[in-house]
Amino acid sequence: MDEYDDWDIVSGVGITALMVAAGRAIESSRDDALIEDPYAESFVTHSGITLPIPTSWAALNDSEGRSEADTRWVDFWAALVSYLGVRSRFFDEYFRDASAAGVRQVVILAAGLDTRAFRLSWPAHVELFEIDQPKVLEFKDTVLEEVGALAGCARHVVPIDLRADWPEALLRANFDPQRPTAWLAEGLLPYLPGTAAEALFAQVHRLSAAGSWFAAEESDPDIRSRMDAPAFRDVYRRLGYDMLALLPDDDRPDTTRWFHDHDWQTTAISRAQAAKRYGRTLGTVIGGVLQGTLLTARWT
Ligand SMILES: C[S@@+](CC[C@H](N)C(=O)[O-])C[C@H]1O[C@@H](n2cnc3c(N)ncnc32)[C@H](O)[C@@H]1O
């Protein structure tokens, strides 16, 4: 046992995984969807959550005679979904490219309800590891089993806190540090304390054989103050959940700089640039809270 707090899918940071799954469900239902996640909606419906999390575009927009608060709510979800579509597609393509370059080992850090093991098409002999909190992964596996999902690769779950000794758990799950790996930290870094994030980067670096890839979603350094805006607080009130309380307020390392300084070849693009790549424009919803970059890096 470790000394860290834990959570399930309907508490603490776990709820953010459910919100992202809801976003992927809504994205999948759009005519211009950038991804298709056939499992996302099942997670929300099986969770029994009582918070008002929408799962379809139609349900979200179904508010005749909207008040100002309704409009803010719909705008928030519309912008979030639009961005989640972009980020999901961007990292789908990252894995496609890493696979094409011959990488056959994948580690998804803070996998939450990510279903790439099931929804992407993988080449033969891919070993994919998902790390997250035990109760989150337990819930995920129960739902996937219930809906009869079949992974397209060899999938291993590694239930552990990323502030604890996760490398040891990963190695025990048969991760091979001699093989190149494609790592992903998507939707994780805002929730990790700065020291844990730096330790995580150092461990990724240590466990990466030549030919490894790393990708991460980085938030704007001002994310905390942006999320403290009064309009954003309206959204928390309606959701019944204080997302600001989830963000540690210590100093955060600059992820791109960290990898660059450790001799990885880094490419960081703004989320807006990524959106443009897929023909989307990200609105400036609620104080620019969705600003930030998408990083890919290679270790040669
Ligand atoms: C916003 S969700 C993102 C999940 C997934 N990467 C995605 O994009 O769908 C954040 C995830 O980070 C996980 N997480 C945050 N801090 C963690 C920690 N210290 N150890 C393990 N998992 C953590 C949560 O359990 C949750 O599943």
Side-chain angles (χ1 to χ4, degrees):
M1 285 297 285
D2 56 54
E3 72 273 30
Y4 302 106
D5 53 324
D6 68 348
W7 50 81
D8 58 21
I9 203 68
V10 292
S11 64
V13 192
I15 296 181
T16 66
L18 211 49
M19 287 177 71
V20 175
R24 282 193 289 260
I26 299 174
E27 172 69 24
S28 303
S29 74
R30 286 171 61 140
D31 290 341
D32 63 347
L34 293 175
I35 58 144
E36 204 192 327
D37 187 339
Y39 311 104
E41 188 176 359
S42 302
F43 291 128
V44 185
T45 49
H46 282 69
S47 70
I49 193 152
T50 51
L51 304 184
I53 295 182
T55 52
S56 81
W57 198 242
L60 184 61
N61 281 287
D62 181 25
S63 46
E64 288 247 327
R66 269 188 211 165
S67 66
E68 214 179 294
D70 290 337
T71 303
R72 268 203 290 272
W73 174 251
V74 173
D75 286 353
F76 164 75
W77 278 97
L80 182 68
V81 169
S82 224
Y83 168 61
L84 288 175
V86 169
R87 122 178 166 187
S88 304
R89 172 72 170 267
F90 182 89
F91 293 126
D92 284 1
E93 291 182 0
Y94 159 78
F95 283 125
R96 181 202 62 197
D97 295 346
S99 295
V103 178
R104 295 289 179 269
Q105 188 164 250
V106 169
V107 179
I108 305 184
L109 301 156
L113 304 175
D114 178 320
T115 57
R116 289 191 174 92
F118 302 85
R119 65 179 182 80
L120 296 188
S121 96
W122 297 96
H125 311 301
V126 168
E127 303 282 329
L128 183 150
F129 300 82
E130 295 184 3
I131 308 181
D132 207 300
Q133 284 264 344
K135 289 178 195 157
V136 170
L137 291 176
E138 197 184 303
F139 165 78
K140 178 180 188 174
D141 278 6
T142 305
V143 175
L144 288 170
E145 205 179 309
E146 252 181 79
V147 301
L150 290 177
C153 55
R155 171 175 175 261
H156 312 266
V157 291
V158 185
I160 189 163
D161 194 299
L162 284 161
R163 294 162 293 183
D165 189 0
W166 60 266
E168 197 260 338
L170 185 61
L171 291 164
R172 245 190 300 118
N174 273 342
F175 170 86
D176 182 356
Q178 306 305 322
R179 301 177 71 202
T181 301
W183 303 87
L184 176 63
E186 177 187 26
L188 165 67
L189 298 174
Y191 309 110
L192 265 192
T195 46
E198 241 183 294
L200 180 117
F201 300 159
Q203 300 286 28
V204 164
H205 183 55
R206 184 174 70 82
L207 294 169
S208 291
S212 290
W213 295 44
F214 176 79
E217 179 201 33
E218 179 135 81
S219 299
D220 180 292
D222 291 333
I223 175 99
R224 219 171 180 284
S225 49
R226 288 185 190 281
M227 285 180 66
D228 204 9
F232 214 94
R233 288 203 168 270
D234 263 13
V235 171
Y236 307 148
R237 258 192 296 279
R238 182 154 185 163
L239 193 58
Y241 176 60
D242 185 2
M243 297 181 67
L244 190 63
L246 304 173
L247 304 181
D249 62 358
D250 57 351
D251 285 344
R252 336 311 327 286
D254 177 325
T255 313
T256 304
R257 173 147 298 284
W258 195 99
F259 279 87
H260 175 79
D261 288 350
H262 288 78
D263 297 328
W264 289 62
Q265 285 169 16
T266 56
T267 309
I269 65 169
S270 71
R271 298 179 189 188
Q273 281 173 298
K276 209 167 157 197
R277 186 182 285 184
Y278 307 119
R280 280 207 182 158
T281 311
L282 299 181
T284 50
V285 70
I286 313 181
V289 76
L290 291 174
Q291 284 182 24
T293 52
L294 300 178
L295 162 70
T296 50
R298 297 182 64 173
W299 175 245
T300 46

